[in-house]
Amino acid sequence: MPGGFGYLDGVELFRVGQKSKLGRYPFHWHRVGNASGQYIKNSSVHQTFHRCITIHNSQRATVIGNTCYNFQGHGFFLEDGNEVKNIIQYNLGIFGRKILQGALLVSDHNFGPQDRFPGPSTFWVSNPDNDIRYNVAVGSEGSGFWMAFRRRLQCGNGAGNGCVVATNGNGN
């Protein structure tokens, strides 16, 4: 939401997030655009019903030193692929669980090797232009790190526009 700000340090988020509800995640930068200076750090997110920390169409947010435990679906989630210049460091994700009913993405619950990685992932990374290091994923029912890069994305201008896979070769 353009105009929203997030500054969390040392917060416990317990039994939050709404399963099967798009955008209803425990902590979510939603189409903020430039989130410079905003952060969630040294916090715990546990026993969630859907994800842990989501960055969606937002850039330059900081996610440092957080623990995400016993969560459903992807844990630390870069949503569209246009999330860049975010700092995601020193986070710990433990026991990510599949969403067996009501999953929003196939990757929240897929099983087969035909999918390349089993879902969910503790860290879902949709763009390599982020500073993601020193993170640990332990005991997920899916994958620890899933690099979900697209060859080309067509992204709108401004904070309120999302991205779609470019089909005409004009991706940015």
Side-chain angles (χ1 to χ4, degrees):
M1 139 185 264
F5 301 94
Y7 307 97
L8 278 74
D9 189 351
V11 174
E12 177 186 28
L13 301 173
F14 172 68
R15 295 178 54 104
V16 292
Q18 295 177 342
K19 187 165 69 168
S20 306
K21 302 281 186 182
L22 187 64
R24 300 296 184 155
Y25 312 128
F27 187 84
H28 185 192
W29 275 289
H30 182 76
R31 299 182 176 191
V32 170
N34 187 351
S36 291
Q38 297 183 46
Y39 55 82
I40 179 169
K41 58 186 179 179
N42 308 314
S43 296
S44 67
V45 185
H46 58 102
Q47 295 182 11
T48 75
F49 301 106
H50 203 191
R51 311 211 191 292
C52 288
I53 298 172
T54 300
I55 302 175
H56 178 200
N57 199 6
S58 302
Q59 296 74 37
R60 294 181 164 76
T62 299
V63 179
I64 293 181
N66 301 289
T67 299
C68 181
Y69 170 71
N70 193 11
F71 55 93
Q72 293 185 47
H74 304 297
F76 297 87
F77 186 59
L78 298 174
E79 195 164 337
D80 275 348
N82 65 339
E83 297 82 14
V84 296
K85 308 297 183 204
N86 296 291
I87 299 170
I88 302 171
Q89 298 178 355
Y90 300 102
N91 298 289
L92 173 62
I94 308 166
F95 190 41
R97 296 177 291 125
K98 294 180 183 299
I99 299 175
L100 298 178
Q101 295 179 338
L104 296 175
L105 300 174
V106 172
S107 58
D108 280 323
H109 64 82
N110 67 339
F111 291 92
Q114 73 278 6
D115 296 309
R116 188 170 168 202
F117 302 106
S121 64
T122 303
F123 293 86
W124 172 277
V125 181
S126 59
N127 192 311
D129 191 12
N130 290 283
D131 186 352
I132 301 173
R133 55 190 162 149
Y134 313 121
N135 298 292
V136 176
V138 181
S140 174
E141 289 183 341
S143 302
F145 293 81
W146 189 331
M147 307 306 169
F149 305 149
R150 302 283 188 175
R151 285 187 188 269
R152 290 192 164 109
L153 290 175
Q154 183 64 47
C155 301
N157 297 326
N161 300 314
C163 294
V164 296
V165 177
T167 56
N168 59 6
N170 293 328
N172 50 5

